[in-house]
Amino acid sequence: MTIILFLIDTSASMNQRTFLGTTLLDITKGAVEHFMKFRSRDPASRGDRYMLLTFEEPPANVKSGWKESHATFMHELKNLQATGLTSMGTSLKHAFDLLNVNRMQSGVDTYGTGRCPFYMEPAVIICVTDGGRLSSTIGVQNELNLPMNNPVPGNELTREPFRWDQRLFGVVLRLPASPPLDFQMPTYIPSADDAAIDLMCEVTGGRSYSISSHRMLMQCLESLVQKVQPGVVINFEKIGPDPPPINNEVVENADANHLDVPNGSSLTVDGKERPLTPAPSSTSWHNCKKLIYVQRSAQKGYSVGHWPIPEGFWPDLNSPTLTPRTAHPSVKFSCTPCEPQVVENLPFDKYELEPSPLTQYILERRQPGVCWQVFITNSAKYSDIGHPFGYLKASTNLTCVNLFVMPYNYPVLLSLLEELFKVHKMKPPAKWRQQFENYLKTMPVYYAGPLRRALARMGAPNLVPENLESCLSYSVISYLKKLKNQAKIEYERLVASVGTRIPQNEGIKVTSKSQTSILQRKDFNQLMQHYGGDLSSLKEQLNEYNSFTLQVMDKDVKPQSYRNAFDIPRKNLLDQIARMRANFLQPSPSGTRLLDDDQMHSIPVQQMGDYHEYLRKAPQPLREIETQPVRLHMFGNPFKVNKNLMIDEADEAMVGQPAKHKRHSESPPGSPGPRKRKPGPLPKDFPIRRPGSPAFNMQTKSKENEDRPPDTESPVPNVTVANHIEASHKLSNHVRAEMNEEPIENEIGKSGPENNNISVSPPVSIQNHKQIQVHNARLKHSVIKEVKRPGRNYEHLFSQLKNVQGSLDTKRLFIGEIIHEAARFKKRLLVDMLRQFEQSVIKLENKKQKVQIVNKPSPNR
């Protein structure tokens, strides 16, 4: 992912108009849109992240950050206004902090374990400004200074505020206000040498552009699009003597200068005899800070590498702190010609260098078979210059120069590996192992992991010991973890602050007139001593009121704390004088008005459509007395609010909760569900007395039966015939009928041989009825779940049916409902088994009733 950050100058000087009739800020907005259009032509732009920052005070300066969408970016870009100062230093520092806070929590920089070019987060910062003087609240500045007083967690580990994969490009708009008379398009876009941002661009590895026409601006944007390449910036410095001469170069140089070259070994130029050696025209190639391209893998989609670039210090396990590193590694290269060395199956990293005077000089020598070794100073333990970790080499077709990154001190390692594979045939003797251990002592410890993986890839594992993994002390590791957690918190805070406005002061803050207190002035102390005053007691009485704020009653009044008449803007002078006159002529201080009536109704055109802010400040309306019902779903008839929701019977509420019944499948889809039973005429707390059993009543009411005529029969309550019970009756209705002692149809049967299924319900109290009802409802919920469960293992179902409580009729109704549920799921085998279980329950209950009747004593005895 490539990050493209636009830093837009929103100072008031960006409002100046050009000869085209547009302001510099309008041209900047169009340039950003053209850049995005040019960049979209590249297929690699799909992973780009665009950010938009301005010169405003934080957090209002971040218009589009890490989490904002492309639509938010374009909306904020169109709504930019130039009303501030040219605080470039503070804005650049905040842009770097916004980028670095994510690097610290992701661990891209790998502090203390080498620099990995393939671990990067490339960022291109494009700053568009008019090149005016740098202004701030302190005053006008002549130089660009980045404040370092508010660092992001982990910034102290790098000396510079930027990183090696972050480059700054400055676009300085120098468009004139009048059309030029004779304008000639230059062959190249010049740099803005006189701008303050030019030096900062060179330090980060970028450059600046001085734009004087619209055509130059388009060429500048195309050049910037080509600069968006993934890579890191490295500072190459030459050490040692210059490379040996090449005769071909001297002959070509002499032909170019139209000089006669004799057959001898010397050349006479300007009366002086010089040796026949090539002399470079300049020494700019001795020190170059250029980019190396780090290409992404086509298969994986991200950069892949094997070897790091060593640190500028030797790792020490006893060191409590880390040595700060520079943003760009200083790579030294020696011009001593060497042969490139490669061992089969040993991985290496290859990076192409950006065109520079160094690459031009190497390509002009036309030696693709010669390489120059590269070093990092102080990377070795006992050597200042260190050991080579790679080399610079021209490509075979002489089109570019590549940096090959190899293992540390690769000449020694490659010779040992070649001896291991070719001479010892993967069976190293003791002498070879001693030499390999001596090599490991000269290698930084953080190379152990990559070397172990490389040797395992070559088929020689277990050569590098496992104890060489850790190269940092415990205190350093704990410190890095702490920084990572702090960076995560700071990242979340910055993301949450995007889009928030600066809270305005609710009053006028009291500020001191002078920077030094009156108690610290020498003349005041001398005056007090002259009059014999006690300064210590005066200090207790006098207090500074810097932390006090004068409250403003009207919230629409903007605080104005003008102490100097020259601080008042020119456009507000007359209004300020009128306000001062009106306040001065007020008869009482209570009637002072801080806001004019005309100013309350004078709103800029841009704020007239901002109704969101008006609604936010408006008081909340009162709620309605009768709230309308809220629809529970969005399907069906939109005008029907009270709908009976269709739920499964197994999910019905327990007893005591409002039950929701499912619509029967026999009823048409448009018909309403079954009507709820209306409450009876008796109240809920009505006492109910239940009579005893018929056998018991025969003994207690024998005298009453003797007085009755013989043709009248005494009714027997609660005697039901099981054959006349329908399966469609509900269990709750039956229990309620028992409690209210309501007679059921055909519940009185004559005694005879055909009526063997007569059940007599014993007297049960109201509390027992409630317990039975709750128990059976819970049991029914679990039994229906067993019916719905797939399979034919019904042992658990029938074991639960044995726990049904109540009379025989209650049990039969319970089993009938389970049979109905099984038939609904088309489980015919289970229906037959349940019917057989019902018959067995009936027989068992009849036997119990017969035994109870036989054991009871007769009333005649």
Side-chain angles (χ1 to χ4, degrees):
M1 178 183 69
T2 303
I3 302 173
I4 302 175
L5 190 149
F6 290 98
L7 183 59
I8 308 300
D9 184 2
T10 54
S11 60
S13 58
M14 293 291 287
N15 287 323
Q16 53 184 330
R17 296 187 178 275
T18 64
F19 66 93
L20 299 176
T22 56
T23 62
L24 294 180
L25 186 61
D26 296 335
I27 294 177
T28 302
K29 296 177 182 179
V32 173
E33 295 179 356
H34 279 87
F35 177 89
M36 299 175 67
K37 181 179 179 181
F38 296 157
R39 175 62 181 167
S40 62
R41 301 171 184 173
D42 190 357
S45 63
R46 296 179 180 178
D48 292 347
R49 159 66 64 181
Y50 287 97
M51 297 184 181
L52 181 63
L53 275 73
T54 62
F55 281 14
E56 301 178 29
E57 293 293 331
N61 60 335
V62 183
K63 303 300 182 182
S64 178
W66 288 102
K67 299 294 185 179
E68 281 66 37
S69 61
H70 180 74
T72 305
F73 178 90
M74 299 303 298
H75 175 73
E76 295 293 339
L77 177 66
K78 294 179 180 179
N79 295 334
L80 288 181
Q81 296 180 1
T83 57
L85 302 175
T86 315
S87 56
M88 184 177 294
T90 307
S91 302
L92 277 176
K93 179 61 170 57
H94 195 271
F96 288 131
D97 291 344
L98 183 64
L99 297 175
N100 296 335
V101 69
N102 186 54
R103 299 173 63 90
M104 193 63 210
Q105 69 166 349
S106 61
V108 175
D109 292 318
T110 61
Y111 288 104
T113 58
R115 304 171 186 254
C116 300
F118 44 89
Y119 291 156
M120 62 174 182
E121 197 174 72
V124 175
I125 303 174
I126 303 175
C127 180
V128 186
T129 178
D130 60 341
R133 301 292 296 273
L134 305 180
S135 59
S136 62
T137 55
I138 303 175
V140 179
Q141 302 174 359
N142 297 326
E143 296 180 355
L144 178 61
N145 296 320
L146 272 67
M148 303 295 290
N149 53 358
N150 187 18
V152 173
N155 267 9
E156 63 274 10
L157 299 178
T158 307
R159 297 174 184 174
E160 293 86 358
F162 50 86
R163 301 296 181 264
W164 66 340
D165 53 358
Q166 299 172 358
R167 293 177 295 163
L168 174 64
F169 294 91
V171 180
V172 182
L173 301 179
R174 300 286 176 80
L175 299 175
S178 58
L181 300 178
D182 49 349
F183 176 75
Q184 295 181 359
M185 184 67 185
T187 56
Y188 68 97
I189 304 176
S191 301
D193 298 332
D194 56 342
I197 198 175
D198 179 66
L199 184 60
M200 191 65 189
C201 294
E202 294 181 0
V203 170
T204 59
R207 60 156 298 185
S208 61
Y209 299 89
S210 180
I211 307 300
S212 58
S213 67
H214 188 268
R215 185 176 178 183
M216 290 179 63
L217 180 61
M218 294 297 106
Q219 291 184 0
C220 170
L221 296 178
E222 293 179 357
S223 175
L224 286 174
V225 170
Q226 297 177 1
K227 296 288 184 181
V228 182
Q229 296 289 342
V232 295
V233 178
I234 295 179
N235 187 20
F236 293 96
E237 297 181 6
K238 184 185 77 68
I239 59 173
D242 290 346
I246 299 177
N247 295 334
N248 295 337
E249 291 185 357
V250 178
V251 174
E252 293 176 0
N253 192 14
D255 293 339
N257 294 327
H258 302 283
L259 298 177
D260 296 332
V261 181
N263 296 329
S265 60
S266 62
L267 181 66
T268 303
V269 179
D270 298 334
K272 296 182 180 180
E273 185 176 0
R274 297 182 179 180
L276 193 60
T277 55
S281 58
S282 64
T283 59
S284 58
W285 61 276
H286 289 179
N287 192 343
C288 291
K289 184 181 292 184
K290 290 297 179 181
L291 183 78
I292 61 171
Y293 300 114
V294 182
Q295 301 298 335
R296 295 184 175 92
S297 175
Q299 292 81 10
K300 299 182 178 181
Y302 54 88
S303 304
V304 178
H306 304 89
W307 308 103
I309 296 176
E311 297 278 0
F313 57 89
W314 181 259
D316 187 7
L317 281 174
N318 299 324
S319 178
T321 57
L322 273 177
T323 304
R325 62 163 63 158
T326 58
H328 302 142
S330 181
V331 176
K332 314 290 184 180
F333 64 91
S334 175
C335 298
T336 304
C338 302
E339 294 183 0
Q341 299 179 0
V342 176
V343 176
E344 187 178 0
N345 295 330
L346 180 67
F348 61 89
D349 299 332
K350 179 181 176 182
Y351 305 107
E352 180 184 350
L353 269 69
E354 186 183 14
S356 62
L358 175 60
T359 59
Q360 182 181 0
Y361 181 79
I362 295 176
L363 293 176
E364 287 178 354
R365 293 178 61 84
R366 297 183 177 274
Q367 290 181 335
V370 176
C371 65
W372 292 350
Q373 292 181 347
V374 291
F375 308 84
I376 292 290
T377 308
N378 300 325
S379 60
K381 188 174 184 180
Y382 302 106
S383 176
D384 294 338
I385 191 62
H387 300 288
F389 68 91
Y391 51 82
L392 292 172
K393 178 183 172 299
S395 60
T396 307
N397 52 3
L398 297 176
T399 57
C400 62
V401 178
N402 299 319
L403 171 64
F404 289 83
V405 179
M406 306 287 290
Y408 193 76
N409 200 3
Y410 71 93
V412 178
L413 178 63
L414 296 186
S415 61
L416 289 174
L417 293 179
E418 188 175 0
E419 182 181 354
L420 175 65
F421 288 101
K422 293 184 179 180
V423 178
H424 302 297
K425 303 298 182 182
M426 295 292 296
K427 296 180 180 180
K431 182 179 179 181
W432 186 92
R433 289 185 177 275
Q434 184 63 31
Q435 293 178 356
F436 187 75
E437 291 179 0
N438 294 335
Y439 161 76
L440 293 179
K441 295 179 180 179
T442 63
M443 177 192 72
V445 185
Y446 46 80
Y447 273 90
L451 181 60
R452 185 182 297 108
R453 291 189 293 268
L455 294 178
R457 178 181 177 182
M458 297 175 66
N462 303 326
L463 291 178
V464 181
E466 296 290 339
N467 57 358
L468 291 179
E469 280 293 336
S470 60
C471 61
L472 301 176
S473 62
Y474 176 76
S475 60
V476 172
I477 295 176
S478 302
Y479 178 66
L480 291 178
K481 290 182 179 179
K482 179 181 177 182
L483 290 179
K484 186 175 182 180
N485 295 332
Q486 292 178 357
K488 185 177 181 180
I489 297 174
E490 182 68 16
Y491 173 80
E492 294 176 354
R493 187 192 67 82
L494 286 177
V495 169
S497 64
V498 176
T500 59
R501 298 182 178 180
I502 303 176
Q504 296 182 356
N505 296 328
E506 297 181 356
I508 302 175
K509 188 175 182 181
V510 177
T511 57
S512 59
K513 296 183 179 180
S514 59
Q515 296 180 355
T516 60
S517 176
I518 188 174
L519 301 177
Q520 299 176 358
R521 295 176 56 179
K522 294 181 179 180
D523 54 354
F524 181 76
N525 296 337
Q526 295 175 0
L527 183 63
M528 291 299 299
Q529 293 176 2
H530 177 71
Y531 287 101
D534 188 5
L535 188 61
S536 59
S537 61
L538 184 62
K539 286 184 178 180
E540 296 178 358
Q541 299 177 7
L542 291 178
N543 294 320
E544 295 291 339
Y545 299 94
N546 292 335
S547 60
F548 282 73
T549 303
L550 299 180
Q551 184 179 4
V552 179
M553 300 303 296
D554 194 350
K555 296 182 179 180
D556 295 333
V557 176
K558 297 181 179 179
Q560 297 178 355
S561 57
Y562 297 128
R563 293 184 176 272
N564 192 349
F566 296 98
D567 294 339
I568 304 175
R570 182 184 181 89
K571 61 180 181 179
N572 297 339
L573 276 176
L574 297 178
D575 181 60
Q576 191 71 18
I577 293 175
R579 182 181 298 134
M580 293 170 62
R581 183 187 297 110
N583 292 334
F584 181 74
L585 298 177
Q586 286 292 337
S588 62
S590 59
T592 303
R593 295 182 305 172
L594 300 177
L595 191 67
D596 295 340
D597 296 336
D598 296 339
Q599 189 175 357
M600 295 175 60
H601 302 283
S602 58
I603 302 176
V605 178
Q606 298 176 353
Q607 298 180 6
M608 288 183 178
D610 192 5
Y611 58 91
H612 292 286
E613 189 70 17
Y614 176 79
L615 294 177
R616 189 178 64 84
K617 292 181 179 181
Q620 294 293 335
L622 300 177
R623 66 175 181 86
E624 298 181 0
I625 299 178
E626 297 180 358
T627 58
Q628 296 181 358
V630 181
R631 295 186 61 195
L632 300 178
H633 44 74
M634 298 301 294
F635 55 88
N637 187 3
F639 301 100
K640 187 175 182 180
V641 179
N642 297 325
K643 286 192 173 182
N644 296 323
L645 299 180
M646 297 177 62
I647 62 171
D648 202 343
E649 290 181 1
D651 297 331
E652 287 184 351
M654 294 299 177
V655 177
Q657 299 180 0
K660 299 178 181 179
H661 299 281
K662 184 177 179 182
R663 181 180 297 170
H664 294 280
S665 59
E666 295 82 10
S667 60
S671 62
R675 296 182 179 179
K676 295 183 180 180
R677 180 170 179 173
K678 296 182 180 180
L682 297 178
K684 293 184 179 180
D685 55 350
F686 184 79
I688 300 175
R689 298 178 181 178
R690 294 192 50 84
S693 61
F696 181 77
N697 293 337
M698 289 172 63
Q699 183 178 0
T700 56
K701 298 183 179 180
S702 58
K703 296 181 179 181
E704 297 178 1
N705 295 336
E706 293 177 357
D707 299 336
R708 291 186 180 184
D711 54 345
T712 60
E713 296 180 359
S714 60
V716 181
N718 295 326
V719 179
T720 60
V721 181
N723 294 335
H724 295 167
I725 297 175
E726 297 181 1
S728 60
H729 289 181
K730 297 294 181 181
L731 179 61
S732 58
N733 297 336
H734 173 71
V735 175
R736 192 179 296 108
E738 284 185 344
M739 295 177 61
N740 295 333
E741 300 184 11
E742 295 179 357
I744 303 175
E745 296 181 1
N746 301 328
E747 63 180 348
I748 303 174
K750 297 179 180 181
S751 60
E754 67 277 5
N755 294 333
N756 296 327
N757 297 334
I758 298 177
S759 62
V760 181
S761 57
V764 184
S765 62
I766 299 176
Q767 185 177 3
N768 292 340
H769 272 292
K770 292 183 179 180
Q771 293 179 357
I772 292 173
Q773 191 175 6
V774 173
H775 173 75
N776 290 346
R778 293 178 180 175
L779 187 63
K780 176 184 176 183
H781 182 78
S782 60
V783 169
I784 291 179
K785 282 189 176 181
E786 292 293 331
V787 173
K788 294 179 180 180
R789 185 172 297 173
R792 296 188 177 183
N793 186 9
Y794 306 118
E795 294 181 0
H796 185 61
L797 186 145
F798 285 100
S799 64
Q800 290 182 346
L801 287 177
K802 294 179 181 179
N803 299 328
V804 181
Q805 298 180 3
S807 61
L808 177 60
D809 299 330
T810 304
K811 295 180 180 180
R812 291 193 60 187
L813 287 176
F814 189 95
I815 298 174
E817 291 184 359
I818 303 302
I819 293 174
H820 177 74
E821 189 71 17
R824 193 168 66 89
F825 284 93
K826 299 182 180 180
K827 292 190 175 183
R828 300 177 181 177
L829 177 62
L830 180 60
V831 171
D832 297 338
M833 296 174 66
L834 289 172
R835 288 174 178 171
Q836 295 177 5
F837 180 78
E838 182 182 9
Q839 296 297 328
S840 64
V841 170
I842 293 173
K843 292 180 181 179
L844 182 62
E845 290 292 332
N846 289 337
K847 287 182 180 180
K848 291 181 180 180
Q849 293 293 336
K850 290 180 180 179
V851 171
Q852 291 178 0
I853 294 174
V854 171
N855 293 335
K856 288 183 179 180
S858 176
N860 297 328
R861 294 180 182 179

